Amino acid sequence: MNIDTKTAIVTGSSSGVGAASCIEFAKRGWNVVINYSQNKSEAYKIEDTCKSFGVDTLVCQANVAKEEDCKRMVEDTINSLGRIDVLVNNAGTTRFCDYGNLEGLDKKDFQDLYEVNVIGAYQMVKFATPYLKKVNGAIVNISSISAISGVGSSIAYAASKGALSTMTLSLAHALAPEIRVNGVCPGFIQTRWTKGFLGDRYESVKKSIEKASLINKTSLPEDIARGIIYLAVDAVTTSGQLLTIDGGQLVNQGKI
């Protein structure tokens, strides 16, 4: 274990944005913690990719909705890699429901989403903070443009991401000056997860969003990962900010 090598924990990193972020950190020579809840085989594939850049890794099965899992992930990171310099709260979940169908969501739907999207992030911050303070580290929370627009896979999802964005700002105040805290608000991302839930509608939805954006593009996971790396590593005087990465969709509302 080389405790001089910086380490990043990325929750929900067996695929998509989380996986791309781990790879980007590894390319920079950082050790990485690859977290999965269920997708073990994919997590170990990402580990192999990261190790090809000569870094140390830790694959950790944990459900961030469970406080004991969050605590264990942080403890295992310290025991295995010796330090925590960046925490990326990427793990998230949703429940799909048409906005007009108020009967389609119940109390449990909101609780399930908040447990992962908001409380899970808070629990990770709580346990990682003592170690992040030692190195003047950084936290990046992955929110969504749904937190700004109010539109997304469901009202419960948008509400949870709105809460995460507000919590990001609160944590920036609470953890200053030792720890910088920022967030990323992605728009449509071309991921396997997105394709899975949209099914046959994927291409039509993608094209409509591209048409509604300023640059006629939607993001790849790597695009979001580069934004995360910027806030976590490069933007050393930036805290309390929410970076929107959506191809200019939100500022081009007139075309939507």
Side-chain angles (χ1 to χ4, degrees), residues 8 10 13 16-32 34 46 49-53 55 88 220-230 232-234:
V10 184
S13 47
V17 169
S21 298
C22 283
I23 293 169
E24 288 295 323
F25 276 113
K27 286 180 179 178
R28 289 193 173 217
W30 284 53
N31 295 336
V32 291
I34 302 153
I46 300 304
T49 301
C50 292
K51 280 187 171 180
S52 71
F53 296 103
V55 302
V88 179
L220 297 170
E222 292 76 13
D223 298 319
I224 310 303
R226 283 188 284 270
I228 292 168
I229 295 290
Y230 168 71
V233 181
D234 299 325

PDB file of all heavy atoms in Angstrom, residues 8 10 13 16-32 34 46 49-53 55 88 220-230 232-234:
ATOM      1  N   ALA A   8      -9.642   7.866  -4.687  1.00  0.00           N
ATOM      2  CA  ALA A   8     -11.014   8.330  -4.885  1.00  0.00           C
ATOM      3  C   ALA A   8     -11.988   7.182  -4.663  1.00  0.00           C
ATOM      4  O   ALA A   8     -11.783   6.074  -5.177  1.00  0.00           O
ATOM      5  CB  ALA A   8     -11.204   8.890  -6.292  1.00  0.00           C
ATOM      6  N   VAL A  10     -15.734   6.118  -5.595  1.00  0.00           N
ATOM      7  CA  VAL A  10     -16.833   6.455  -6.502  1.00  0.00           C
ATOM      8  C   VAL A  10     -17.957   5.461  -6.254  1.00  0.00           C
ATOM      9  O   VAL A  10     -17.819   4.272  -6.551  1.00  0.00           O
ATOM     10  CB  VAL A  10     -16.403   6.400  -7.977  1.00  0.00           C
ATOM     11  CG1 VAL A  10     -17.558   6.850  -8.890  1.00  0.00           C
ATOM     12  CG2 VAL A  10     -15.168   7.272  -8.225  1.00  0.00           C
ATOM     13  N   SER A  13     -20.267   2.473  -9.171  1.00  0.00           N
ATOM     14  CA  SER A  13     -19.274   2.630 -10.243  1.00  0.00           C
ATOM     15  C   SER A  13     -18.985   1.364 -11.042  1.00  0.00           C
ATOM     16  O   SER A  13     -17.918   1.227 -11.643  1.00  0.00           O
ATOM     17  CB  SER A  13     -17.972   3.186  -9.664  1.00  0.00           C
ATOM     18  OG  SER A  13     -17.569   2.502  -8.503  1.00  0.00           O
ATOM     19  N   GLY A  16     -21.612   2.817 -16.402  1.00  0.00           N
ATOM     20  CA  GLY A  16     -22.038   4.186 -16.663  1.00  0.00           C
ATOM     21  C   GLY A  16     -21.062   5.252 -16.212  1.00  0.00           C
ATOM     22  O   GLY A  16     -19.837   5.104 -16.329  1.00  0.00           O
ATOM     23  N   VAL A  17     -21.606   6.337 -15.671  1.00  0.00           N
ATOM     24  CA  VAL A  17     -20.804   7.485 -15.255  1.00  0.00           C
ATOM     25  C   VAL A  17     -19.807   7.110 -14.163  1.00  0.00           C
ATOM     26  O   VAL A  17     -18.657   7.552 -14.175  1.00  0.00           O
ATOM     27  CB  VAL A  17     -21.715   8.638 -14.782  1.00  0.00           C
ATOM     28  CG1 VAL A  17     -20.908   9.741 -14.101  1.00  0.00           C
ATOM     29  CG2 VAL A  17     -22.512   9.199 -15.951  1.00  0.00           C
ATOM     30  N   GLY A  18     -20.240   6.289 -13.215  1.00  0.00           N
ATOM     31  CA  GLY A  18     -19.355   5.887 -12.132  1.00  0.00           C
ATOM     32  C   GLY A  18     -18.153   5.121 -12.633  1.00  0.00           C
ATOM     33  O   GLY A  18     -17.008   5.388 -12.219  1.00  0.00           O
ATOM     34  N   ALA A  19     -18.376   4.184 -13.532  1.00  0.00           N
ATOM     35  CA  ALA A  19     -17.276   3.407 -14.110  1.00  0.00           C
ATOM     36  C   ALA A  19     -16.333   4.304 -14.899  1.00  0.00           C
ATOM     37  O   ALA A  19     -15.106   4.207 -14.776  1.00  0.00           O
ATOM     38  CB  ALA A  19     -17.827   2.300 -15.004  1.00  0.00           C
ATOM     39  N   ALA A  20     -16.893   5.199 -15.709  1.00  0.00           N
ATOM     40  CA  ALA A  20     -16.076   6.120 -16.496  1.00  0.00           C
ATOM     41  C   ALA A  20     -15.244   7.016 -15.595  1.00  0.00           C
ATOM     42  O   ALA A  20     -14.089   7.342 -15.907  1.00  0.00           O
ATOM     43  CB  ALA A  20     -16.966   6.961 -17.417  1.00  0.00           C
ATOM     44  N   SER A  21     -15.802   7.402 -14.460  1.00  0.00           N
ATOM     45  CA  SER A  21     -15.077   8.255 -13.518  1.00  0.00           C
ATOM     46  C   SER A  21     -13.897   7.506 -12.906  1.00  0.00           C
ATOM     47  O   SER A  21     -12.792   8.058 -12.773  1.00  0.00           O
ATOM     48  CB  SER A  21     -16.013   8.752 -12.414  1.00  0.00           C
ATOM     49  OG  SER A  21     -17.050   9.544 -12.956  1.00  0.00           O
ATOM     50  N   CYS A  22     -14.117   6.269 -12.516  1.00  0.00           N
ATOM     51  CA  CYS A  22     -13.015   5.466 -11.973  1.00  0.00           C
ATOM     52  C   CYS A  22     -11.875   5.360 -12.977  1.00  0.00           C
ATOM     53  O   CYS A  22     -10.690   5.493 -12.620  1.00  0.00           O
ATOM     54  CB  CYS A  22     -13.516   4.070 -11.596  1.00  0.00           C
ATOM     55  SG  CYS A  22     -14.449   4.003 -10.055  1.00  0.00           S
ATOM     56  N   ILE A  23     -12.218   5.129 -14.220  1.00  0.00           N
ATOM     57  CA  ILE A  23     -11.193   5.005 -15.261  1.00  0.00           C
ATOM     58  C   ILE A  23     -10.448   6.320 -15.454  1.00  0.00           C
ATOM     59  O   ILE A  23      -9.217   6.335 -15.608  1.00  0.00           O
ATOM     60  CB  ILE A  23     -11.839   4.523 -16.575  1.00  0.00           C
ATOM     61  CG1 ILE A  23     -12.349   3.078 -16.404  1.00  0.00           C
ATOM     62  CG2 ILE A  23     -10.845   4.605 -17.733  1.00  0.00           C
ATOM     63  CD1 ILE A  23     -13.234   2.592 -17.531  1.00  0.00           C
ATOM     64  N   GLU A  24     -11.165   7.439 -15.415  1.00  0.00           N
ATOM     65  CA  GLU A  24     -10.515   8.744 -15.563  1.00  0.00           C
ATOM     66  C   GLU A  24      -9.562   9.020 -14.398  1.00  0.00           C
ATOM     67  O   GLU A  24      -8.460   9.544 -14.586  1.00  0.00           O
ATOM     68  CB  GLU A  24     -11.559   9.853 -15.658  1.00  0.00           C
ATOM     69  CG  GLU A  24     -12.334   9.882 -16.965  1.00  0.00           C
ATOM     70  CD  GLU A  24     -11.458  10.202 -18.166  1.00  0.00           C
ATOM     71  OE1 GLU A  24     -10.530  11.029 -18.018  1.00  0.00           O
ATOM     72  OE2 GLU A  24     -11.700   9.632 -19.240  1.00  0.00           O
ATOM     73  N   PHE A  25      -9.976   8.684 -13.191  1.00  0.00           N
ATOM     74  CA  PHE A  25      -9.079   8.834 -12.040  1.00  0.00           C
ATOM     75  C   PHE A  25      -7.839   7.957 -12.216  1.00  0.00           C
ATOM     76  O   PHE A  25      -6.707   8.391 -11.956  1.00  0.00           O
ATOM     77  CB  PHE A  25      -9.796   8.464 -10.741  1.00  0.00           C
ATOM     78  CG  PHE A  25     -10.612   9.565 -10.138  1.00  0.00           C
ATOM     79  CD1 PHE A  25     -11.997   9.468 -10.083  1.00  0.00           C
ATOM     80  CD2 PHE A  25     -10.011  10.700  -9.609  1.00  0.00           C
ATOM     81  CE1 PHE A  25     -12.769  10.483  -9.521  1.00  0.00           C
ATOM     82  CE2 PHE A  25     -10.762  11.719  -9.039  1.00  0.00           C
ATOM     83  CZ  PHE A  25     -12.144  11.616  -8.997  1.00  0.00           C
ATOM     84  N   ALA A  26      -8.052   6.708 -12.634  1.00  0.00           N
ATOM     85  CA  ALA A  26      -6.936   5.780 -12.810  1.00  0.00           C
ATOM     86  C   ALA A  26      -5.962   6.284 -13.869  1.00  0.00           C
ATOM     87  O   ALA A  26      -4.740   6.140 -13.723  1.00  0.00           O
ATOM     88  CB  ALA A  26      -7.464   4.398 -13.179  1.00  0.00           C
ATOM     89  N   LYS A  27      -6.475   6.885 -14.912  1.00  0.00           N
ATOM     90  CA  LYS A  27      -5.608   7.441 -15.954  1.00  0.00           C
ATOM     91  C   LYS A  27      -4.690   8.516 -15.396  1.00  0.00           C
ATOM     92  O   LYS A  27      -3.589   8.723 -15.885  1.00  0.00           O
ATOM     93  CB  LYS A  27      -6.459   8.030 -17.084  1.00  0.00           C
ATOM     94  CG  LYS A  27      -7.113   7.010 -17.994  1.00  0.00           C
ATOM     95  CD  LYS A  27      -7.929   7.712 -19.073  1.00  0.00           C
ATOM     96  CE  LYS A  27      -8.581   6.716 -20.012  1.00  0.00           C
ATOM     97  NZ  LYS A  27      -9.422   7.405 -21.033  1.00  0.00           N
ATOM     98  N   ARG A  28      -5.158   9.194 -14.351  1.00  0.00           N
ATOM     99  CA  ARG A  28      -4.356  10.240 -13.705  1.00  0.00           C
ATOM    100  C   ARG A  28      -3.447   9.687 -12.613  1.00  0.00           C
ATOM    101  O   ARG A  28      -2.781  10.446 -11.915  1.00  0.00           O
ATOM    102  CB  ARG A  28      -5.273  11.304 -13.107  1.00  0.00           C
ATOM    103  CG  ARG A  28      -5.969  12.170 -14.147  1.00  0.00           C
ATOM    104  CD  ARG A  28      -6.594  13.368 -13.488  1.00  0.00           C
ATOM    105  NE  ARG A  28      -7.127  14.309 -14.478  1.00  0.00           N
ATOM    106  CZ  ARG A  28      -7.084  15.628 -14.338  1.00  0.00           C
ATOM    107  NH1 ARG A  28      -6.542  16.163 -13.258  1.00  0.00           N
ATOM    108  NH2 ARG A  28      -7.591  16.423 -15.261  1.00  0.00           N
ATOM    109  N   GLY A  29      -3.461   8.364 -12.450  1.00  0.00           N
ATOM    110  CA  GLY A  29      -2.588   7.750 -11.461  1.00  0.00           C
ATOM    111  C   GLY A  29      -3.178   7.641 -10.074  1.00  0.00           C
ATOM    112  O   GLY A  29      -2.458   7.378  -9.108  1.00  0.00           O
ATOM    113  N   TRP A  30      -4.488   7.835  -9.949  1.00  0.00           N
ATOM    114  CA  TRP A  30      -5.155   7.728  -8.650  1.00  0.00           C
ATOM    115  C   TRP A  30      -5.571   6.286  -8.381  1.00  0.00           C
ATOM    116  O   TRP A  30      -6.035   5.572  -9.282  1.00  0.00           O
ATOM    117  CB  TRP A  30      -6.403   8.601  -8.650  1.00  0.00           C
ATOM    118  CG  TRP A  30      -6.172  10.063  -8.510  1.00  0.00           C
ATOM    119  CD1 TRP A  30      -5.340  10.846  -9.258  1.00  0.00           C
ATOM    120  CD2 TRP A  30      -6.824  10.934  -7.574  1.00  0.00           C
ATOM    121  NE1 TRP A  30      -5.426  12.154  -8.850  1.00  0.00           N
ATOM    122  CE2 TRP A  30      -6.324  12.238  -7.814  1.00  0.00           C
ATOM    123  CE3 TRP A  30      -7.760  10.752  -6.564  1.00  0.00           C
ATOM    124  CZ2 TRP A  30      -6.748  13.340  -7.079  1.00  0.00           C
ATOM    125  CZ3 TRP A  30      -8.183  11.844  -5.836  1.00  0.00           C
ATOM    126  CH2 TRP A  30      -7.676  13.124  -6.078  1.00  0.00           C
ATOM    127  N   ASN A  31      -5.466   5.884  -7.119  1.00  0.00           N
ATOM    128  CA  ASN A  31      -6.110   4.647  -6.694  1.00  0.00           C
ATOM    129  C   ASN A  31      -7.623   4.870  -6.628  1.00  0.00           C
ATOM    130  O   ASN A  31      -8.074   5.980  -6.341  1.00  0.00           O
ATOM    131  CB  ASN A  31      -5.598   4.218  -5.322  1.00  0.00           C
ATOM    132  CG  ASN A  31      -4.120   3.862  -5.337  1.00  0.00           C
ATOM    133  OD1 ASN A  31      -3.565   3.505  -6.378  1.00  0.00           O
ATOM    134  ND2 ASN A  31      -3.480   3.957  -4.188  1.00  0.00           N
ATOM    135  N   VAL A  32      -8.387   3.810  -6.883  1.00  0.00           N
ATOM    136  CA  VAL A  32      -9.842   3.971  -6.933  1.00  0.00           C
ATOM    137  C   VAL A  32     -10.564   2.863  -6.179  1.00  0.00           C
ATOM    138  O   VAL A  32     -10.110   1.718  -6.132  1.00  0.00           O
ATOM    139  CB  VAL A  32     -10.374   4.009  -8.385  1.00  0.00           C
ATOM    140  CG1 VAL A  32      -9.943   5.290  -9.081  1.00  0.00           C
ATOM    141  CG2 VAL A  32      -9.922   2.792  -9.182  1.00  0.00           C
ATOM    142  N   ILE A  34     -14.037   0.966  -6.372  1.00  0.00           N
ATOM    143  CA  ILE A  34     -15.133   0.670  -7.294  1.00  0.00           C
ATOM    144  C   ILE A  34     -16.247   0.028  -6.484  1.00  0.00           C
ATOM    145  O   ILE A  34     -16.081  -1.071  -5.947  1.00  0.00           O
ATOM    146  CB  ILE A  34     -14.662  -0.264  -8.421  1.00  0.00           C
ATOM    147  CG1 ILE A  34     -13.484   0.374  -9.181  1.00  0.00           C
ATOM    148  CG2 ILE A  34     -15.807  -0.592  -9.374  1.00  0.00           C
ATOM    149  CD1 ILE A  34     -12.563  -0.629  -9.825  1.00  0.00           C
ATOM    150  N   ILE A  46     -14.303  -3.382 -14.559  1.00  0.00           N
ATOM    151  CA  ILE A  46     -13.816  -2.010 -14.415  1.00  0.00           C
ATOM    152  C   ILE A  46     -12.509  -2.000 -13.636  1.00  0.00           C
ATOM    153  O   ILE A  46     -11.573  -1.250 -13.938  1.00  0.00           O
ATOM    154  CB  ILE A  46     -14.867  -1.117 -13.731  1.00  0.00           C
ATOM    155  CG1 ILE A  46     -16.158  -1.083 -14.560  1.00  0.00           C
ATOM    156  CG2 ILE A  46     -14.329   0.294 -13.515  1.00  0.00           C
ATOM    157  CD1 ILE A  46     -15.971  -0.625 -15.990  1.00  0.00           C
ATOM    158  N   THR A  49      -9.640  -2.752 -15.923  1.00  0.00           N
ATOM    159  CA  THR A  49      -9.289  -1.589 -16.742  1.00  0.00           C
ATOM    160  C   THR A  49      -8.474  -0.589 -15.942  1.00  0.00           C
ATOM    161  O   THR A  49      -7.458  -0.076 -16.406  1.00  0.00           O
ATOM    162  CB  THR A  49     -10.552  -0.909 -17.291  1.00  0.00           C
ATOM    163  OG1 THR A  49     -11.304  -1.837 -18.072  1.00  0.00           O
ATOM    164  CG2 THR A  49     -10.195   0.286 -18.162  1.00  0.00           C
ATOM    165  N   CYS A  50      -8.920  -0.315 -14.726  1.00  0.00           N
ATOM    166  CA  CYS A  50      -8.202   0.645 -13.881  1.00  0.00           C
ATOM    167  C   CYS A  50      -6.803   0.152 -13.549  1.00  0.00           C
ATOM    168  O   CYS A  50      -5.832   0.924 -13.569  1.00  0.00           O
ATOM    169  CB  CYS A  50      -8.992   0.905 -12.598  1.00  0.00           C
ATOM    170  SG  CYS A  50     -10.540   1.804 -12.861  1.00  0.00           S
ATOM    171  N   LYS A  51      -6.671  -1.116 -13.244  1.00  0.00           N
ATOM    172  CA  LYS A  51      -5.359  -1.679 -12.900  1.00  0.00           C
ATOM    173  C   LYS A  51      -4.390  -1.606 -14.073  1.00  0.00           C
ATOM    174  O   LYS A  51      -3.167  -1.567 -13.869  1.00  0.00           O
ATOM    175  CB  LYS A  51      -5.515  -3.129 -12.446  1.00  0.00           C
ATOM    176  CG  LYS A  51      -5.983  -3.273 -11.006  1.00  0.00           C
ATOM    177  CD  LYS A  51      -5.959  -4.727 -10.567  1.00  0.00           C
ATOM    178  CE  LYS A  51      -6.220  -4.858  -9.073  1.00  0.00           C
ATOM    179  NZ  LYS A  51      -6.194  -6.267  -8.628  1.00  0.00           N
ATOM    180  N   SER A  52      -4.910  -1.566 -15.287  1.00  0.00           N
ATOM    181  CA  SER A  52      -4.033  -1.489 -16.458  1.00  0.00           C
ATOM    182  C   SER A  52      -3.258  -0.182 -16.504  1.00  0.00           C
ATOM    183  O   SER A  52      -2.263  -0.060 -17.231  1.00  0.00           O
ATOM    184  CB  SER A  52      -4.851  -1.646 -17.743  1.00  0.00           C
ATOM    185  OG  SER A  52      -5.657  -0.502 -17.995  1.00  0.00           O
ATOM    186  N   PHE A  53      -3.686   0.805 -15.702  1.00  0.00           N
ATOM    187  CA  PHE A  53      -2.968   2.080 -15.621  1.00  0.00           C
ATOM    188  C   PHE A  53      -1.977   2.093 -14.458  1.00  0.00           C
ATOM    189  O   PHE A  53      -1.400   3.135 -14.142  1.00  0.00           O
ATOM    190  CB  PHE A  53      -3.963   3.225 -15.496  1.00  0.00           C
ATOM    191  CG  PHE A  53      -4.858   3.381 -16.687  1.00  0.00           C
ATOM    192  CD1 PHE A  53      -6.171   2.940 -16.647  1.00  0.00           C
ATOM    193  CD2 PHE A  53      -4.382   3.947 -17.858  1.00  0.00           C
ATOM    194  CE1 PHE A  53      -7.006   3.063 -17.743  1.00  0.00           C
ATOM    195  CE2 PHE A  53      -5.204   4.072 -18.967  1.00  0.00           C
ATOM    196  CZ  PHE A  53      -6.514   3.626 -18.917  1.00  0.00           C
ATOM    197  N   VAL A  55      -2.480   1.412 -11.154  1.00  0.00           N
ATOM    198  CA  VAL A  55      -2.938   1.895  -9.852  1.00  0.00           C
ATOM    199  C   VAL A  55      -3.452   0.742  -9.010  1.00  0.00           C
ATOM    200  O   VAL A  55      -3.705  -0.357  -9.514  1.00  0.00           O
ATOM    201  CB  VAL A  55      -4.049   2.957 -10.013  1.00  0.00           C
ATOM    202  CG1 VAL A  55      -3.548   4.123 -10.862  1.00  0.00           C
ATOM    203  CG2 VAL A  55      -5.325   2.355 -10.620  1.00  0.00           C
ATOM    204  N   VAL A  88     -16.902  10.673  -4.615  1.00  0.00           N
ATOM    205  CA  VAL A  88     -17.899  10.956  -5.656  1.00  0.00           C
ATOM    206  C   VAL A  88     -19.155  10.172  -5.328  1.00  0.00           C
ATOM    207  O   VAL A  88     -19.167   8.936  -5.386  1.00  0.00           O
ATOM    208  CB  VAL A  88     -17.386  10.578  -7.062  1.00  0.00           C
ATOM    209  CG1 VAL A  88     -18.464  10.865  -8.113  1.00  0.00           C
ATOM    210  CG2 VAL A  88     -16.101  11.323  -7.396  1.00  0.00           C
ATOM    211  N   LEU A 220     -21.979  11.413 -23.384  1.00  0.00           N
ATOM    212  CA  LEU A 220     -21.507  10.072 -23.068  1.00  0.00           C
ATOM    213  C   LEU A 220     -21.083  10.042 -21.596  1.00  0.00           C
ATOM    214  O   LEU A 220     -20.810  11.096 -21.006  1.00  0.00           O
ATOM    215  CB  LEU A 220     -20.311   9.708 -23.953  1.00  0.00           C
ATOM    216  CG  LEU A 220     -20.570   9.627 -25.461  1.00  0.00           C
ATOM    217  CD1 LEU A 220     -19.245   9.492 -26.198  1.00  0.00           C
ATOM    218  CD2 LEU A 220     -21.486   8.457 -25.781  1.00  0.00           C
ATOM    219  N   PRO A 221     -20.999   8.868 -20.981  1.00  0.00           N
ATOM    220  CA  PRO A 221     -20.535   8.806 -19.595  1.00  0.00           C
ATOM    221  C   PRO A 221     -19.191   9.485 -19.391  1.00  0.00           C
ATOM    222  O   PRO A 221     -18.949  10.120 -18.361  1.00  0.00           O
ATOM    223  CB  PRO A 221     -20.444   7.297 -19.323  1.00  0.00           C
ATOM    224  CG  PRO A 221     -21.458   6.694 -20.233  1.00  0.00           C
ATOM    225  CD  PRO A 221     -21.422   7.531 -21.475  1.00  0.00           C
ATOM    226  N   GLU A 222     -18.316   9.377 -20.395  1.00  0.00           N
ATOM    227  CA  GLU A 222     -16.985   9.974 -20.288  1.00  0.00           C
ATOM    228  C   GLU A 222     -17.057  11.502 -20.210  1.00  0.00           C
ATOM    229  O   GLU A 222     -16.203  12.142 -19.584  1.00  0.00           O
ATOM    230  CB  GLU A 222     -16.128   9.547 -21.481  1.00  0.00           C
ATOM    231  CG  GLU A 222     -15.751   8.084 -21.505  1.00  0.00           C
ATOM    232  CD  GLU A 222     -16.885   7.157 -21.934  1.00  0.00           C
ATOM    233  OE1 GLU A 222     -17.913   7.649 -22.462  1.00  0.00           O
ATOM    234  OE2 GLU A 222     -16.744   5.932 -21.752  1.00  0.00           O
ATOM    235  N   ASP A 223     -18.059  12.098 -20.859  1.00  0.00           N
ATOM    236  CA  ASP A 223     -18.226  13.555 -20.795  1.00  0.00           C
ATOM    237  C   ASP A 223     -18.540  14.001 -19.373  1.00  0.00           C
ATOM    238  O   ASP A 223     -18.002  14.996 -18.875  1.00  0.00           O
ATOM    239  CB  ASP A 223     -19.353  14.002 -21.741  1.00  0.00           C
ATOM    240  CG  ASP A 223     -19.059  13.681 -23.185  1.00  0.00           C
ATOM    241  OD1 ASP A 223     -17.902  13.866 -23.609  1.00  0.00           O
ATOM    242  OD2 ASP A 223     -19.988  13.246 -23.894  1.00  0.00           O
ATOM    243  N   ILE A 224     -19.417  13.263 -18.716  1.00  0.00           N
ATOM    244  CA  ILE A 224     -19.769  13.588 -17.331  1.00  0.00           C
ATOM    245  C   ILE A 224     -18.584  13.327 -16.420  1.00  0.00           C
ATOM    246  O   ILE A 224     -18.298  14.110 -15.502  1.00  0.00           O
ATOM    247  CB  ILE A 224     -20.990  12.770 -16.869  1.00  0.00           C
ATOM    248  CG1 ILE A 224     -22.136  12.863 -17.891  1.00  0.00           C
ATOM    249  CG2 ILE A 224     -21.450  13.244 -15.488  1.00  0.00           C
ATOM    250  CD1 ILE A 224     -22.594  14.271 -18.189  1.00  0.00           C
ATOM    251  N   ALA A 225     -17.871  12.239 -16.673  1.00  0.00           N
ATOM    252  CA  ALA A 225     -16.708  11.900 -15.844  1.00  0.00           C
ATOM    253  C   ALA A 225     -15.657  13.003 -15.889  1.00  0.00           C
ATOM    254  O   ALA A 225     -15.038  13.324 -14.868  1.00  0.00           O
ATOM    255  CB  ALA A 225     -16.105  10.576 -16.303  1.00  0.00           C
ATOM    256  N   ARG A 226     -15.450  13.598 -17.060  1.00  0.00           N
ATOM    257  CA  ARG A 226     -14.461  14.674 -17.157  1.00  0.00           C
ATOM    258  C   ARG A 226     -14.892  15.897 -16.343  1.00  0.00           C
ATOM    259  O   ARG A 226     -14.055  16.606 -15.766  1.00  0.00           O
ATOM    260  CB  ARG A 226     -14.212  15.024 -18.618  1.00  0.00           C
ATOM    261  CG  ARG A 226     -13.319  14.012 -19.343  1.00  0.00           C
ATOM    262  CD  ARG A 226     -12.937  14.476 -20.719  1.00  0.00           C
ATOM    263  NE  ARG A 226     -14.029  14.342 -21.660  1.00  0.00           N
ATOM    264  CZ  ARG A 226     -14.273  13.255 -22.403  1.00  0.00           C
ATOM    265  NH1 ARG A 226     -13.466  12.205 -22.281  1.00  0.00           N
ATOM    266  NH2 ARG A 226     -15.277  13.212 -23.246  1.00  0.00           N
ATOM    267  N   GLY A 227     -16.208  16.157 -16.300  1.00  0.00           N
ATOM    268  CA  GLY A 227     -16.706  17.235 -15.448  1.00  0.00           C
ATOM    269  C   GLY A 227     -16.482  16.938 -13.977  1.00  0.00           C
ATOM    270  O   GLY A 227     -16.138  17.829 -13.189  1.00  0.00           O
ATOM    271  N   ILE A 228     -16.658  15.689 -13.601  1.00  0.00           N
ATOM    272  CA  ILE A 228     -16.427  15.269 -12.217  1.00  0.00           C
ATOM    273  C   ILE A 228     -14.957  15.444 -11.847  1.00  0.00           C
ATOM    274  O   ILE A 228     -14.626  15.972 -10.782  1.00  0.00           O
ATOM    275  CB  ILE A 228     -16.866  13.800 -12.032  1.00  0.00           C
ATOM    276  CG1 ILE A 228     -18.393  13.677 -12.166  1.00  0.00           C
ATOM    277  CG2 ILE A 228     -16.395  13.260 -10.685  1.00  0.00           C
ATOM    278  CD1 ILE A 228     -18.886  12.251 -12.295  1.00  0.00           C
ATOM    279  N   ILE A 229     -14.070  15.006 -12.731  1.00  0.00           N
ATOM    280  CA  ILE A 229     -12.637  15.138 -12.485  1.00  0.00           C
ATOM    281  C   ILE A 229     -12.250  16.609 -12.343  1.00  0.00           C
ATOM    282  O   ILE A 229     -11.451  16.984 -11.472  1.00  0.00           O
ATOM    283  CB  ILE A 229     -11.830  14.483 -13.618  1.00  0.00           C
ATOM    284  CG1 ILE A 229     -12.063  12.972 -13.640  1.00  0.00           C
ATOM    285  CG2 ILE A 229     -10.343  14.812 -13.481  1.00  0.00           C
ATOM    286  CD1 ILE A 229     -11.458  12.228 -12.487  1.00  0.00           C
ATOM    287  N   TYR A 230     -12.825  17.446 -13.182  1.00  0.00           N
ATOM    288  CA  TYR A 230     -12.529  18.878 -13.106  1.00  0.00           C
ATOM    289  C   TYR A 230     -12.857  19.424 -11.721  1.00  0.00           C
ATOM    290  O   TYR A 230     -12.030  20.095 -11.089  1.00  0.00           O
ATOM    291  CB  TYR A 230     -13.321  19.632 -14.178  1.00  0.00           C
ATOM    292  CG  TYR A 230     -13.308  21.128 -13.979  1.00  0.00           C
ATOM    293  CD1 TYR A 230     -12.153  21.870 -14.213  1.00  0.00           C
ATOM    294  CD2 TYR A 230     -14.445  21.796 -13.531  1.00  0.00           C
ATOM    295  CE1 TYR A 230     -12.132  23.243 -14.005  1.00  0.00           C
ATOM    296  CE2 TYR A 230     -14.429  23.170 -13.326  1.00  0.00           C
ATOM    297  CZ  TYR A 230     -13.272  23.888 -13.564  1.00  0.00           C
ATOM    298  OH  TYR A 230     -13.258  25.240 -13.342  1.00  0.00           O
ATOM    299  N   ALA A 232     -13.376  17.747  -8.937  1.00  0.00           N
ATOM    300  CA  ALA A 232     -12.705  17.020  -7.854  1.00  0.00           C
ATOM    301  C   ALA A 232     -11.227  17.356  -7.752  1.00  0.00           C
ATOM    302  O   ALA A 232     -10.679  17.421  -6.644  1.00  0.00           O
ATOM    303  CB  ALA A 232     -12.870  15.516  -8.059  1.00  0.00           C
ATOM    304  N   VAL A 233     -10.584  17.575  -8.882  1.00  0.00           N
ATOM    305  CA  VAL A 233      -9.125  17.670  -8.900  1.00  0.00           C
ATOM    306  C   VAL A 233      -8.620  19.046  -9.344  1.00  0.00           C
ATOM    307  O   VAL A 233      -7.740  19.624  -8.712  1.00  0.00           O
ATOM    308  CB  VAL A 233      -8.534  16.583  -9.832  1.00  0.00           C
ATOM    309  CG1 VAL A 233      -7.014  16.657  -9.838  1.00  0.00           C
ATOM    310  CG2 VAL A 233      -9.005  15.198  -9.415  1.00  0.00           C
ATOM    311  N   ASP A 234      -9.159  19.559 -10.424  1.00  0.00           N
ATOM    312  CA  ASP A 234      -8.580  20.743 -11.064  1.00  0.00           C
ATOM    313  C   ASP A 234      -9.109  22.063 -10.523  1.00  0.00           C
ATOM    314  O   ASP A 234      -8.377  23.060 -10.473  1.00  0.00           O
ATOM    315  CB  ASP A 234      -8.816  20.690 -12.573  1.00  0.00           C
ATOM    316  CG  ASP A 234      -8.166  19.481 -13.218  1.00  0.00           C
ATOM    317  OD1 ASP A 234      -7.075  19.093 -12.757  1.00  0.00           O
ATOM    318  OD2 ASP A 234      -8.743  18.911 -14.163  1.00  0.00           O
TER     319      ASP A 234
END
